Amino acid sequence: MLQTDSEFTKTRWICTIIGLGFYLVDIVTDVGLAVKYFLVGDLVWAGLTLVSVAVSSAATQVFSYTWYRDDMRKPLVNPGGDGLISCMNRGGLIGLHVMQTGIFTRYYHLLKVGYRAVFSKPLGPVECPRDVHLALFGRATDLSMLKLFETFLESVPQLVLQLYIMLGHGHRSILQCICMVGSFINIAWAIVDYRRCLRRSLPQVREMPSGLPTFVYLLYKLLTITSHILSLSLFLILSPYSTLGMAVVWLAGTVWAHWVRTDFCTSKGLERLYRIIVGVVLIFTFFNVKGQDASWPMAVYYVLFALVNLSGPLLLVLVRPEVNATEYFWPVTLLIFGGTVLGLACLVLYYTVCHPRGRSLQADEVDGHMGQERETEMPDNMVRIRNFLQL
């Protein structure tokens, strides 16, 4: 259905707390695992584990602060023009983000304002204005974007690394398994939360229906990403120099994002960082970075994706025949093949049967000039959300 009367509900508020919990578990287990590697003398594993955490945290803090700064300059978000946003001045915001707490600050303000909107009883018959709920979805979608960045900069690479350590070097521990499970759950939650929250925050876009469509979309993403992670892990077991191939894919994705001229950010420098992150995302899954018909790019991407997945086990068994005797090779190979086939089947099913298509009548009736006028009146987070739908 179209987003005409969407409200930030109690369920959405509770889901925000659950998302915060998954985020904390993912970060804490990764840092704990790095500390364990350090204590047993595996300094390389400790360093690589911490690098993904540090890079994802730094990138998300940069975007979070920039969005706060942009919101300060927008009259609709900061009508007083007093240089404050969420009761914080620019210096305070810089300090919070330098201390890597920008995400937690966003969670705090979303939960605080959301609690007032959905739990506090009004003094009279007047209900909470619709603009308040739309603003809450804007805040929630900002968080979902940042969580998506964190997922592909930290959780997904962490899974590849830990699988390589576990399968290629026989290093297994309970904390390592907890870390991998936490990363997997965080990936699943971030993908679905991003997709649903993003579509719900835009009045002119059809909401992603719950139930079967959400389940099929989740299966499509999880099966394709998981099979690809397993395949990349086998490539690393074949040779650590396989990272050069991943770097080539990242470079190609970054160049493509530059070639199609993404327009997500308000500054050229930040836009370049965004395109670099898009390149990382495209190593693991496909996103439409320009909001246009992407049927052919998606088809080409997943043909190459399937070839990479199938060639991983094949090359490993040809170059290193001794892996046939390992306990992991055939189960992982079956998971790769099955995940690839079922994931692509879910992709076709989702986009042919379950995808929410269409725009509101109002959006169809206005011309481009009126659309531009409305855009200039939109809060920065709404413009940001609209642009990120292209990803």
Side-chain angles (χ1 to χ4, degrees):
M1 68 180 185
L2 295 176
Q3 305 311 300
T4 55
D5 298 307
S6 291
E7 292 185 354
F8 193 89
T9 62
K10 294 179 181 179
T11 301
R12 178 67 242 180
W13 190 86
I14 294 172
C15 286
T16 302
I17 294 180
I18 296 174
L20 173 59
F22 287 150
Y23 178 73
L24 285 170
V25 169
D26 192 33
I27 298 298
V28 170
T29 55
D30 287 347
V31 173
L33 185 60
V35 171
K36 181 174 182 179
Y37 284 144
F38 179 80
L39 292 177
V40 298
D42 293 325
L43 301 184
V44 174
W45 303 143
L48 290 175
T49 302
L50 283 178
V51 163
S52 63
V53 176
V55 169
S56 67
S57 180
T60 53
Q61 299 302 321
V62 168
F63 279 101
S64 177
Y65 168 73
T66 304
W67 295 346
Y68 267 134
R69 185 197 62 192
D70 291 344
D71 290 344
M72 279 183 176
R73 300 170 178 173
K74 200 72 174 179
L76 289 178
V77 179
N78 186 21
D82 51 8
L84 298 176
I85 189 76
S86 298
C87 300
M88 296 177 291
N89 59 25
R90 186 171 181 175
L93 285 174
I94 292 175
L96 287 171
H97 287 83
V98 167
M99 293 187 295
Q100 307 298 300
T101 58
I103 307 299
F104 298 108
T105 302
R106 287 182 174 273
Y107 267 112
Y108 168 75
H109 288 292
L110 175 60
L111 291 171
K112 180 181 177 181
V113 178
Y115 183 87
R116 291 175 181 172
V118 301
F119 287 101
S120 298
K121 296 181 179 180
L123 298 177
V126 180
E127 296 183 355
C128 191
R130 181 176 178 273
D131 288 346
V132 173
H133 289 278
L134 190 60
L136 283 169
F137 275 117
R139 290 174 183 244
T141 306
D142 276 356
L143 264 175
S144 72
M145 294 180 203
L146 295 171
K147 284 292 298 296
L148 197 71
F149 289 162
E150 184 269 340
T151 294
F152 284 98
L153 291 175
E154 191 266 326
S155 298
V156 176
Q158 200 69 250
L159 269 178
V160 176
L161 174 62
Q162 299 310 324
L163 279 170
Y164 168 65
I165 295 173
M166 179 181 289
L167 301 179
H169 295 268
H171 191 294
R172 297 176 176 84
S173 68
I174 295 177
L175 183 58
Q176 189 181 36
C177 293
I178 295 174
C179 175
M180 293 172 62
V181 170
S183 294
F184 186 81
I185 294 175
N186 197 49
I187 292 168
W189 185 272
I191 288 173
V192 173
D193 183 64
Y194 153 74
R195 185 77 174 186
R196 289 184 60 82
C197 194
L198 177 71
R199 299 190 70 90
R200 182 168 289 184
S201 63
L202 290 166
Q204 77 278 16
V205 175
R206 291 184 184 273
E207 181 182 351
M208 183 178 183
S210 57
L212 182 61
T214 297
F215 181 69
V216 172
Y217 180 81
L218 176 63
L219 282 181
Y220 145 53
K221 283 295 184 182
L222 283 186
L223 289 172
T224 53
I225 292 174
T226 302
S227 61
H228 204 49
I229 287 173
L230 290 170
S231 181
L232 293 177
S233 300
L234 294 187
F235 272 109
L236 289 175
I237 293 172
L238 177 65
S239 172
Y241 291 105
S242 299
T243 52
L244 296 177
M246 299 181 202
V248 170
V249 175
W250 163 78
L251 183 60
T254 303
V255 170
W256 182 53
H258 181 78
W259 182 65
V260 299
R261 298 183 180 276
T262 59
D263 56 353
F264 176 64
C265 302
T266 56
S267 67
K268 291 183 179 180
L270 204 63
E271 188 69 35
R272 294 190 186 99
L273 176 60
Y274 167 71
R275 291 168 181 173
I276 289 172
I277 294 176
V278 168
V280 175
V281 173
L282 288 172
I283 296 175
F284 303 103
T285 190
F286 180 83
F287 278 107
N288 182 356
V289 299
K290 195 59 182 176
Q292 300 170 349
D293 183 9
S295 301
W296 282 107
M298 178 182 283
V300 171
Y301 178 91
Y302 277 113
V303 167
L304 297 175
F305 168 94
L307 290 176
V308 169
N309 281 5
L310 299 179
S311 62
L314 181 61
L315 285 175
L316 186 61
V317 76
L318 289 177
V319 177
R320 296 179 56 182
E322 66 273 13
V323 298
N324 272 304
T326 60
E327 61 182 12
Y328 70 81
F329 178 74
W330 288 110
V332 169
T333 299
L334 290 175
L335 286 174
I336 292 173
F337 286 5
T340 300
V341 173
L342 291 176
L344 295 180
C346 288
L347 181 154
V348 174
L349 177 63
Y350 176 76
Y351 282 103
T352 55
V353 178
C354 304
H355 188 268
R357 293 180 174 83
R359 293 180 177 270
S360 66
L361 182 61
Q362 180 183 10
D364 289 337
E365 289 176 344
V366 298
D367 58 24
H369 176 69
M370 288 298 294
Q372 292 174 0
E373 286 182 353
R374 271 205 317 276
E375 178 178 326
T376 60
E377 297 173 356
M378 293 169 70
D380 267 2
N381 62 342
M382 292 295 106
V383 177
R384 191 159 56 235
I385 291 163
R386 186 213 59 189
N387 289 337
F388 201 67
L389 185 61
Q390 300 167 357
L391 184 87

